[in-house]
Amino acid sequence: EDQVTQSPEALRLQEGESSSLNCSYTVSGLRGLFWYRQDPGKGPEFLFTLYSAGEEKEKERLKATLTKKESFLHITAPKPEDSATYLCAVQAHAAGNKLTFGGGTRVLVKP
Amino acid sequence: DVKVTQSSRYLVKRTGEKVFLECVQDMDHENMFWYRQDPGLGLRLIYFSYDVKMKEKGDIPEGYSVSREKKERFSLILESASTNQTSMYLCASSPAPSIPQETQYFGPGTRLLVL
């Protein structure tokens, strides 16, 4: 059974204080690992897809990396507008287009 | 831009009522999904559909049914609503698995309260 575990559950940062979110996964044949951002009361918004170990993707202050067992979402010099819940999901080759989600990390960036 | 819309943002229903949640996507996507999201439990897949009139059970289908009569529309039905179905319901769509970068695109969600 595919499993995704995100840590920490919650993270409080000062503006400018860089940090990393962890997504550990077990999957039978990884097809892709996805990162989403979710604001309160809204649907998840797609950020990145990573396909193979060693791959990295960047978008503004966010950088996602992937190894064979986990992915990290690095937030560099965060701003208050980066406050959100960040969700990680995996897709297995045998799962068609189904995703298995982690529980998310709630990030609060204080000015 | 992909657009996924859901018929209601907030809904209040009584126990035992039949509830319909509608989802429409405008990108001609083959796949559509219904999730529920609860604090501490994350997103859980209820049902999904790979094509018109086709449906597959997800991880928690009990108490729900779905309908996909047209490619762009996917409905979630609560046959007899119960208080434990109070939740945030999220619809998503994606193109066929053979297309690269085939992430799922989510609607804004429907917050359902069953009294």
Side-chain angles (χ1 to χ4, degrees), chain A residues 33-73:
Chain A
L33 184 140
F34 302 84
W35 282 99
Y36 290 84
R37 170 195 169 118
Q38 186 175 24
D39 293 303
K42 296 187 177 181
E45 177 186 339
F46 170 70
L47 292 173
F48 304 110
T49 309
L50 301 167
Y51 293 104
S52 57
E55 191 174 359
E56 298 182 354
K57 294 260 178 90
E58 283 189 71
K59 181 179 181 180
E60 295 180 355
R61 294 175 293 281
L62 301 177
K63 179 180 177 180
T65 61
L66 181 65
T67 72
K68 289 186 178 180
K69 293 183 179 180
E70 57 193 349
S71 177
F72 292 94
L73 184 65

mmCIF file of all heavy atoms in Angstrom, chain A residues 33-73:
data_model
loop_
_atom_site.group_PDB
_atom_site.id
_atom_site.type_symbol
_atom_site.label_atom_id
_atom_site.label_comp_id
_atom_site.label_asym_id
_atom_site.label_seq_id
_atom_site.Cartn_x
_atom_site.Cartn_y
_atom_site.Cartn_z
ATOM 1 N N LEU A 33 5.943 12.544 -8.023
ATOM 2 C CA LEU A 33 5.664 13.095 -6.704
ATOM 3 C C LEU A 33 5.254 14.543 -6.910
ATOM 4 O O LEU A 33 5.901 15.285 -7.648
ATOM 5 C CB LEU A 33 6.892 13.003 -5.793
ATOM 6 C CG LEU A 33 6.664 13.481 -4.349
ATOM 7 C CD1 LEU A 33 7.382 12.583 -3.367
ATOM 8 C CD2 LEU A 33 7.053 14.923 -4.160
ATOM 9 N N PHE A 34 4.158 14.924 -6.278
ATOM 10 C CA PHE A 34 3.559 16.228 -6.513
ATOM 11 C C PHE A 34 3.543 17.049 -5.233
ATOM 12 O O PHE A 34 3.274 16.532 -4.152
ATOM 13 C CB PHE A 34 2.109 16.065 -7.005
ATOM 14 C CG PHE A 34 1.984 15.255 -8.265
ATOM 15 C CD1 PHE A 34 1.947 13.873 -8.214
ATOM 16 C CD2 PHE A 34 1.910 15.877 -9.500
ATOM 17 C CE1 PHE A 34 1.838 13.121 -9.370
ATOM 18 C CE2 PHE A 34 1.796 15.132 -10.660
ATOM 19 C CZ PHE A 34 1.758 13.761 -10.596
ATOM 20 N N TRP A 35 3.792 18.341 -5.379
ATOM 21 C CA TRP A 35 3.616 19.287 -4.282
ATOM 22 C C TRP A 35 2.501 20.256 -4.638
ATOM 23 O O TRP A 35 2.446 20.772 -5.753
ATOM 24 C CB TRP A 35 4.897 20.076 -4.016
ATOM 25 C CG TRP A 35 5.941 19.317 -3.251
ATOM 26 C CD1 TRP A 35 7.028 18.666 -3.750
ATOM 27 C CD2 TRP A 35 6.001 19.149 -1.827
ATOM 28 N NE1 TRP A 35 7.756 18.099 -2.729
ATOM 29 C CE2 TRP A 35 7.143 18.385 -1.537
ATOM 30 C CE3 TRP A 35 5.199 19.580 -0.752
ATOM 31 C CZ2 TRP A 35 7.514 18.031 -0.233
ATOM 32 C CZ3 TRP A 35 5.563 19.235 0.534
ATOM 33 C CH2 TRP A 35 6.711 18.464 0.793
ATOM 34 N N TYR A 36 1.635 20.485 -3.643
ATOM 35 C CA TYR A 36 0.533 21.429 -3.784
ATOM 36 C C TYR A 36 0.590 22.429 -2.637
ATOM 37 O O TYR A 36 1.049 22.113 -1.540
ATOM 38 C CB TYR A 36 -0.829 20.729 -3.711
ATOM 39 C CG TYR A 36 -1.187 19.861 -4.884
ATOM 40 C CD1 TYR A 36 -0.746 18.545 -4.964
ATOM 41 C CD2 TYR A 36 -2.002 20.349 -5.900
ATOM 42 C CE1 TYR A 36 -1.096 17.742 -6.029
ATOM 43 C CE2 TYR A 36 -2.364 19.551 -6.976
ATOM 44 C CZ TYR A 36 -1.912 18.253 -7.025
ATOM 45 O OH TYR A 36 -2.268 17.458 -8.090
ATOM 46 N N ARG A 37 0.037 23.597 -2.880
ATOM 47 C CA ARG A 37 -0.176 24.604 -1.830
ATOM 48 C C ARG A 37 -1.682 24.750 -1.653
ATOM 49 O O ARG A 37 -2.433 24.807 -2.641
ATOM 50 C CB ARG A 37 0.428 25.928 -2.279
ATOM 51 C CG ARG A 37 0.066 27.095 -1.388
ATOM 52 C CD ARG A 37 0.354 28.424 -2.024
ATOM 53 N NE ARG A 37 -0.238 29.490 -1.241
ATOM 54 C CZ ARG A 37 0.450 30.465 -0.657
ATOM 55 N NH1 ARG A 37 1.777 30.535 -0.831
ATOM 56 N NH2 ARG A 37 -0.162 31.386 0.062
ATOM 57 N N GLN A 38 -2.131 24.809 -0.392
ATOM 58 C CA GLN A 38 -3.560 24.996 -0.138
ATOM 59 C C GLN A 38 -3.762 26.133 0.853
ATOM 60 O O GLN A 38 -3.264 26.082 1.980
ATOM 61 C CB GLN A 38 -4.208 23.717 0.400
ATOM 62 C CG GLN A 38 -5.714 23.828 0.546
ATOM 63 C CD GLN A 38 -6.369 22.527 0.956
ATOM 64 O OE1 GLN A 38 -5.743 21.654 1.554
ATOM 65 N NE2 GLN A 38 -7.651 22.365 0.632
ATOM 66 N N ASP A 39 -4.514 27.132 0.429
ATOM 67 C CA ASP A 39 -4.882 28.235 1.312
ATOM 68 C C ASP A 39 -6.184 27.883 2.027
ATOM 69 O O ASP A 39 -6.990 27.103 1.493
ATOM 70 C CB ASP A 39 -5.033 29.528 0.523
ATOM 71 C CG ASP A 39 -3.699 29.994 -0.034
ATOM 72 O OD1 ASP A 39 -2.769 30.186 0.775
ATOM 73 O OD2 ASP A 39 -3.562 30.123 -1.264
ATOM 74 N N PRO A 40 -6.410 28.455 3.204
ATOM 75 C CA PRO A 40 -7.625 28.102 3.984
ATOM 76 C C PRO A 40 -8.904 28.286 3.176
ATOM 77 O O PRO A 40 -9.099 29.320 2.533
ATOM 78 C CB PRO A 40 -7.557 29.084 5.161
ATOM 79 C CG PRO A 40 -6.119 29.398 5.317
ATOM 80 C CD PRO A 40 -5.549 29.409 3.925
ATOM 81 N N GLY A 41 -9.761 27.276 3.189
ATOM 82 C CA GLY A 41 -11.049 27.350 2.515
ATOM 83 C C GLY A 41 -10.983 27.228 1.007
ATOM 84 O O GLY A 41 -11.983 27.461 0.321
ATOM 85 N N LYS A 42 -9.822 26.847 0.472
ATOM 86 C CA LYS A 42 -9.672 26.737 -0.983
ATOM 87 C C LYS A 42 -9.152 25.361 -1.375
ATOM 88 O O LYS A 42 -8.671 24.603 -0.536
ATOM 89 C CB LYS A 42 -8.714 27.814 -1.502
ATOM 90 C CG LYS A 42 -9.235 29.228 -1.301
ATOM 91 C CD LYS A 42 -8.336 30.232 -1.976
ATOM 92 C CE LYS A 42 -8.893 31.637 -1.833
ATOM 93 N NZ LYS A 42 -8.035 32.650 -2.506
ATOM 94 N N GLY A 43 -9.252 25.045 -2.659
ATOM 95 C CA GLY A 43 -8.709 23.793 -3.155
ATOM 96 C C GLY A 43 -7.202 23.857 -3.314
ATOM 97 O O GLY A 43 -6.627 24.949 -3.434
ATOM 98 N N PRO A 44 -6.523 22.715 -3.310
ATOM 99 C CA PRO A 44 -5.070 22.692 -3.511
ATOM 100 C C PRO A 44 -4.684 23.262 -4.870
ATOM 101 O O PRO A 44 -5.381 23.063 -5.866
ATOM 102 C CB PRO A 44 -4.728 21.201 -3.421
ATOM 103 C CG PRO A 44 -5.839 20.592 -2.633
ATOM 104 C CD PRO A 44 -7.052 21.365 -3.022
ATOM 105 N N GLU A 45 -3.542 23.942 -4.877
ATOM 106 C CA GLU A 45 -3.018 24.547 -6.099
ATOM 107 C C GLU A 45 -1.692 23.874 -6.435
ATOM 108 O O GLU A 45 -0.794 23.805 -5.590
ATOM 109 C CB GLU A 45 -2.820 26.043 -5.880
ATOM 110 C CG GLU A 45 -2.207 26.784 -7.047
ATOM 111 C CD GLU A 45 -1.899 28.232 -6.698
ATOM 112 O OE1 GLU A 45 -2.492 28.759 -5.732
ATOM 113 O OE2 GLU A 45 -1.048 28.834 -7.376
ATOM 114 N N PHE A 46 -1.563 23.393 -7.658
ATOM 115 C CA PHE A 46 -0.381 22.652 -8.067
ATOM 116 C C PHE A 46 0.868 23.528 -8.038
ATOM 117 O O PHE A 46 0.859 24.668 -8.503
ATOM 118 C CB PHE A 46 -0.606 22.096 -9.477
ATOM 119 C CG PHE A 46 0.621 21.519 -10.117
ATOM 120 C CD1 PHE A 46 1.169 20.334 -9.656
ATOM 121 C CD2 PHE A 46 1.227 22.154 -11.189
ATOM 122 C CE1 PHE A 46 2.288 19.783 -10.248
ATOM 123 C CE2 PHE A 46 2.358 21.620 -11.789
ATOM 124 C CZ PHE A 46 2.878 20.438 -11.313
ATOM 125 N N LEU A 47 1.971 22.953 -7.493
ATOM 126 C CA LEU A 47 3.264 23.638 -7.477
ATOM 127 C C LEU A 47 4.280 22.941 -8.372
ATOM 128 O O LEU A 47 4.819 23.548 -9.298
ATOM 129 C CB LEU A 47 3.825 23.693 -6.048
ATOM 130 C CG LEU A 47 3.091 24.576 -5.038
ATOM 131 C CD1 LEU A 47 3.670 24.380 -3.640
ATOM 132 C CD2 LEU A 47 3.171 26.036 -5.446
ATOM 133 N N PHE A 48 4.593 21.670 -8.072
ATOM 134 C CA PHE A 48 5.658 20.958 -8.768
ATOM 135 C C PHE A 48 5.299 19.497 -8.993
ATOM 136 O O PHE A 48 4.551 18.916 -8.221
ATOM 137 C CB PHE A 48 6.954 20.936 -7.917
ATOM 138 C CG PHE A 48 7.478 22.259 -7.486
ATOM 139 C CD1 PHE A 48 7.411 22.633 -6.152
ATOM 140 C CD2 PHE A 48 8.062 23.133 -8.391
ATOM 141 C CE1 PHE A 48 7.907 23.853 -5.733
ATOM 142 C CE2 PHE A 48 8.559 24.354 -7.979
ATOM 143 C CZ PHE A 48 8.481 24.710 -6.643
ATOM 144 N N THR A 49 5.936 18.917 -10.023
ATOM 145 C CA THR A 49 5.993 17.473 -10.184
ATOM 146 C C THR A 49 7.451 17.070 -10.273
ATOM 147 O O THR A 49 8.236 17.701 -11.004
ATOM 148 C CB THR A 49 5.300 16.999 -11.475
ATOM 149 O OG1 THR A 49 3.989 17.557 -11.546
ATOM 150 C CG2 THR A 49 5.196 15.487 -11.477
ATOM 151 N N LEU A 50 7.837 16.025 -9.528
ATOM 152 C CA LEU A 50 9.181 15.455 -9.600
ATOM 153 C C LEU A 50 9.041 13.999 -10.012
ATOM 154 O O LEU A 50 8.164 13.290 -9.514
ATOM 155 C CB LEU A 50 9.885 15.557 -8.247
ATOM 156 C CG LEU A 50 10.044 16.979 -7.685
ATOM 157 C CD1 LEU A 50 10.451 16.937 -6.220
ATOM 158 C CD2 LEU A 50 11.090 17.736 -8.501
ATOM 159 N N TYR A 51 9.924 13.551 -10.909
ATOM 160 C CA TYR A 51 9.767 12.213 -11.467
ATOM 161 C C TYR A 51 10.861 11.235 -11.049
ATOM 162 O O TYR A 51 10.617 10.026 -11.009
ATOM 163 C CB TYR A 51 9.714 12.280 -12.993
ATOM 164 C CG TYR A 51 8.486 12.955 -13.522
ATOM 165 C CD1 TYR A 51 8.543 14.253 -14.021
ATOM 166 C CD2 TYR A 51 7.253 12.319 -13.517
ATOM 167 C CE1 TYR A 51 7.407 14.884 -14.503
ATOM 168 C CE2 TYR A 51 6.103 12.941 -14.003
ATOM 169 C CZ TYR A 51 6.198 14.230 -14.496
ATOM 170 O OH TYR A 51 5.071 14.850 -14.967
ATOM 171 N N SER A 52 12.070 11.723 -10.811
ATOM 172 C CA SER A 52 13.151 10.784 -10.522
ATOM 173 C C SER A 52 14.106 11.365 -9.485
ATOM 174 O O SER A 52 14.234 12.595 -9.342
ATOM 175 C CB SER A 52 13.911 10.450 -11.808
ATOM 176 O OG SER A 52 14.403 11.616 -12.413
ATOM 177 N N ALA A 53 14.777 10.470 -8.763
ATOM 178 C CA ALA A 53 15.720 10.862 -7.718
ATOM 179 C C ALA A 53 16.792 11.782 -8.290
ATOM 180 O O ALA A 53 17.311 11.548 -9.388
ATOM 181 C CB ALA A 53 16.354 9.622 -7.094
ATOM 182 N N GLY A 54 17.076 12.846 -7.549
ATOM 183 C CA GLY A 54 18.059 13.821 -7.982
ATOM 184 C C GLY A 54 17.447 15.023 -8.680
ATOM 185 O O GLY A 54 18.106 16.043 -8.873
ATOM 186 N N GLU A 55 16.188 14.923 -9.020
ATOM 187 C CA GLU A 55 15.527 16.018 -9.728
ATOM 188 C C GLU A 55 15.219 17.160 -8.751
ATOM 189 O O GLU A 55 14.912 16.944 -7.586
ATOM 190 C CB GLU A 55 14.233 15.518 -10.365
ATOM 191 C CG GLU A 55 13.593 16.495 -11.338
ATOM 192 C CD GLU A 55 12.392 15.883 -12.042
ATOM 193 O OE1 GLU A 55 12.077 14.702 -11.790
ATOM 194 O OE2 GLU A 55 11.770 16.600 -12.847
ATOM 195 N N GLU A 56 15.305 18.387 -9.244
ATOM 196 C CA GLU A 56 14.985 19.573 -8.461
ATOM 197 C C GLU A 56 14.128 20.506 -9.308
ATOM 198 O O GLU A 56 14.316 20.604 -10.522
ATOM 199 C CB GLU A 56 16.258 20.312 -8.033
ATOM 200 C CG GLU A 56 17.180 19.519 -7.133
ATOM 201 C CD GLU A 56 18.399 20.322 -6.706
ATOM 202 O OE1 GLU A 56 18.589 21.453 -7.195
ATOM 203 O OE2 GLU A 56 19.170 19.812 -5.859
ATOM 204 N N LYS A 57 13.184 21.205 -8.644
ATOM 205 C CA LYS A 57 12.362 22.200 -9.333
ATOM 206 C C LYS A 57 12.282 23.425 -8.426
ATOM 207 O O LYS A 57 12.232 23.309 -7.205
ATOM 208 C CB LYS A 57 10.943 21.657 -9.590
ATOM 209 C CG LYS A 57 10.880 20.490 -10.561
ATOM 210 C CD LYS A 57 10.469 20.919 -11.926
ATOM 211 C CE LYS A 57 10.457 19.769 -12.914
ATOM 212 N NZ LYS A 57 9.164 19.083 -12.963
ATOM 213 N N GLU A 58 12.262 24.606 -9.045
ATOM 214 C CA GLU A 58 12.207 25.853 -8.280
ATOM 215 C C GLU A 58 11.094 26.746 -8.788
ATOM 216 O O GLU A 58 10.778 26.767 -9.992
ATOM 217 C CB GLU A 58 13.526 26.617 -8.406
ATOM 218 C CG GLU A 58 14.644 26.079 -7.573
ATOM 219 C CD GLU A 58 15.856 26.998 -7.561
ATOM 220 O OE1 GLU A 58 15.775 28.083 -6.948
ATOM 221 O OE2 GLU A 58 16.871 26.616 -8.159
ATOM 222 N N LYS A 59 10.512 27.487 -7.842
ATOM 223 C CA LYS A 59 9.515 28.485 -8.196
ATOM 224 C C LYS A 59 9.556 29.558 -7.122
ATOM 225 O O LYS A 59 9.184 29.325 -5.982
ATOM 226 C CB LYS A 59 8.125 27.855 -8.260
ATOM 227 C CG LYS A 59 7.014 28.810 -8.637
ATOM 228 C CD LYS A 59 5.670 28.067 -8.701
ATOM 229 C CE LYS A 59 4.544 28.999 -9.091
ATOM 230 N NZ LYS A 59 3.245 28.289 -9.162
ATOM 231 N N GLU A 60 10.044 30.711 -7.485
ATOM 232 C CA GLU A 60 10.185 31.838 -6.560
ATOM 233 C C GLU A 60 10.984 31.395 -5.330
ATOM 234 O O GLU A 60 12.143 31.009 -5.464
ATOM 235 C CB GLU A 60 8.805 32.384 -6.184
ATOM 236 C CG GLU A 60 8.070 32.984 -7.377
ATOM 237 C CD GLU A 60 6.704 33.537 -7.028
ATOM 238 O OE1 GLU A 60 6.255 33.383 -5.868
ATOM 239 O OE2 GLU A 60 6.084 34.137 -7.912
ATOM 240 N N ARG A 61 10.412 31.419 -4.145
ATOM 241 C CA ARG A 61 11.152 31.083 -2.921
ATOM 242 C C ARG A 61 11.075 29.591 -2.579
ATOM 243 O O ARG A 61 11.602 29.165 -1.547
ATOM 244 C CB ARG A 61 10.604 31.908 -1.748
ATOM 245 C CG ARG A 61 10.858 33.404 -1.903
ATOM 246 C CD ARG A 61 10.202 34.198 -0.790
ATOM 247 N NE ARG A 61 8.748 34.131 -0.858
ATOM 248 C CZ ARG A 61 8.017 34.848 -1.699
ATOM 249 N NH1 ARG A 61 8.600 35.681 -2.539
ATOM 250 N NH2 ARG A 61 6.693 34.733 -1.699
ATOM 251 N N LEU A 62 10.457 28.806 -3.431
ATOM 252 C CA LEU A 62 10.269 27.381 -3.177
ATOM 253 C C LEU A 62 11.181 26.543 -4.062
ATOM 254 O O LEU A 62 11.331 26.824 -5.248
ATOM 255 C CB LEU A 62 8.811 26.982 -3.424
ATOM 256 C CG LEU A 62 7.744 27.683 -2.598
ATOM 257 C CD1 LEU A 62 6.359 27.222 -3.029
ATOM 258 C CD2 LEU A 62 7.940 27.432 -1.109
ATOM 259 N N LYS A 63 11.744 25.506 -3.452
ATOM 260 C CA LYS A 63 12.566 24.562 -4.212
ATOM 261 C C LYS A 63 12.244 23.159 -3.719
ATOM 262 O O LYS A 63 12.308 22.891 -2.522
ATOM 263 C CB LYS A 63 14.047 24.851 -4.012
ATOM 264 C CG LYS A 63 14.982 23.900 -4.742
ATOM 265 C CD LYS A 63 16.429 24.285 -4.466
ATOM 266 C CE LYS A 63 17.422 23.332 -5.102
ATOM 267 N NZ LYS A 63 18.819 23.742 -4.809
ATOM 268 N N ALA A 64 11.885 22.278 -4.636
ATOM 269 C CA ALA A 64 11.556 20.901 -4.293
ATOM 270 C C ALA A 64 12.645 19.978 -4.796
ATOM 271 O O ALA A 64 13.146 20.143 -5.911
ATOM 272 C CB ALA A 64 10.212 20.513 -4.906
ATOM 273 N N THR A 65 13.011 18.998 -3.950
ATOM 274 C CA THR A 65 14.019 18.013 -4.313
ATOM 275 C C THR A 65 13.460 16.621 -4.050
ATOM 276 O O THR A 65 12.519 16.445 -3.264
ATOM 277 C CB THR A 65 15.313 18.215 -3.506
ATOM 278 O OG1 THR A 65 15.013 18.067 -2.104
ATOM 279 C CG2 THR A 65 15.896 19.600 -3.747
ATOM 280 N N LEU A 66 14.073 15.622 -4.694
ATOM 281 C CA LEU A 66 13.562 14.259 -4.582
ATOM 282 C C LEU A 66 14.703 13.268 -4.444
ATOM 283 O O LEU A 66 15.694 13.340 -5.166
ATOM 284 C CB LEU A 66 12.733 13.909 -5.832
ATOM 285 C CG LEU A 66 12.097 12.521 -5.874
ATOM 286 C CD1 LEU A 66 11.044 12.365 -4.788
ATOM 287 C CD2 LEU A 66 11.496 12.248 -7.249
ATOM 288 N N THR A 67 14.543 12.341 -3.464
ATOM 289 C CA THR A 67 15.423 11.185 -3.365
ATOM 290 C C THR A 67 14.548 9.937 -3.532
ATOM 291 O O THR A 67 13.355 10.046 -3.787
ATOM 292 C CB THR A 67 16.146 11.122 -2.004
ATOM 293 O OG1 THR A 67 15.191 10.753 -0.989
ATOM 294 C CG2 THR A 67 16.781 12.462 -1.657
ATOM 295 N N LYS A 68 15.152 8.769 -3.351
ATOM 296 C CA LYS A 68 14.385 7.536 -3.543
ATOM 297 C C LYS A 68 13.370 7.280 -2.434
ATOM 298 O O LYS A 68 12.478 6.457 -2.586
ATOM 299 C CB LYS A 68 15.327 6.343 -3.682
ATOM 300 C CG LYS A 68 16.074 6.341 -4.994
ATOM 301 C CD LYS A 68 16.882 5.075 -5.182
ATOM 302 C CE LYS A 68 17.568 5.090 -6.536
ATOM 303 N NZ LYS A 68 18.374 3.862 -6.771
ATOM 304 N N LYS A 69 13.517 7.996 -1.294
ATOM 305 C CA LYS A 69 12.630 7.739 -0.170
ATOM 306 C C LYS A 69 11.865 8.966 0.292
ATOM 307 O O LYS A 69 10.910 8.850 1.061
ATOM 308 C CB LYS A 69 13.429 7.189 1.013
ATOM 309 C CG LYS A 69 14.008 5.810 0.787
ATOM 310 C CD LYS A 69 14.713 5.309 2.042
ATOM 311 C CE LYS A 69 15.280 3.924 1.837
ATOM 312 N NZ LYS A 69 15.963 3.415 3.050
ATOM 313 N N GLU A 70 12.321 10.175 -0.109
ATOM 314 C CA GLU A 70 11.677 11.365 0.409
ATOM 315 C C GLU A 70 11.860 12.556 -0.524
ATOM 316 O O GLU A 70 12.712 12.546 -1.423
ATOM 317 C CB GLU A 70 12.210 11.695 1.809
ATOM 318 C CG GLU A 70 13.701 11.891 1.898
ATOM 319 C CD GLU A 70 14.216 11.900 3.325
ATOM 320 O OE1 GLU A 70 13.413 11.959 4.277
ATOM 321 O OE2 GLU A 70 15.444 11.873 3.501
ATOM 322 N N SER A 71 11.047 13.549 -0.254
ATOM 323 C CA SER A 71 11.152 14.809 -0.975
ATOM 324 C C SER A 71 11.185 15.930 0.053
ATOM 325 O O SER A 71 10.592 15.814 1.126
ATOM 326 C CB SER A 71 9.960 14.987 -1.910
ATOM 327 O OG SER A 71 10.009 16.243 -2.568
ATOM 328 N N PHE A 72 11.885 16.985 -0.294
ATOM 329 C CA PHE A 72 11.942 18.162 0.563
ATOM 330 C C PHE A 72 11.422 19.364 -0.199
ATOM 331 O O PHE A 72 11.672 19.514 -1.401
ATOM 332 C CB PHE A 72 13.377 18.441 1.015
ATOM 333 C CG PHE A 72 13.921 17.410 1.959
ATOM 334 C CD1 PHE A 72 14.665 16.344 1.476
ATOM 335 C CD2 PHE A 72 13.694 17.502 3.320
ATOM 336 C CE1 PHE A 72 15.175 15.379 2.335
ATOM 337 C CE2 PHE A 72 14.199 16.547 4.195
ATOM 338 C CZ PHE A 72 14.935 15.480 3.695
ATOM 339 N N LEU A 73 10.691 20.198 0.522
ATOM 340 C CA LEU A 73 10.287 21.489 -0.022
ATOM 341 C C LEU A 73 10.996 22.552 0.808
ATOM 342 O O LEU A 73 10.719 22.711 1.993
ATOM 343 C CB LEU A 73 8.769 21.669 0.052
ATOM 344 C CG LEU A 73 8.230 22.948 -0.591
ATOM 345 C CD1 LEU A 73 8.462 22.939 -2.099
ATOM 346 C CD2 LEU A 73 6.741 23.122 -0.296
#
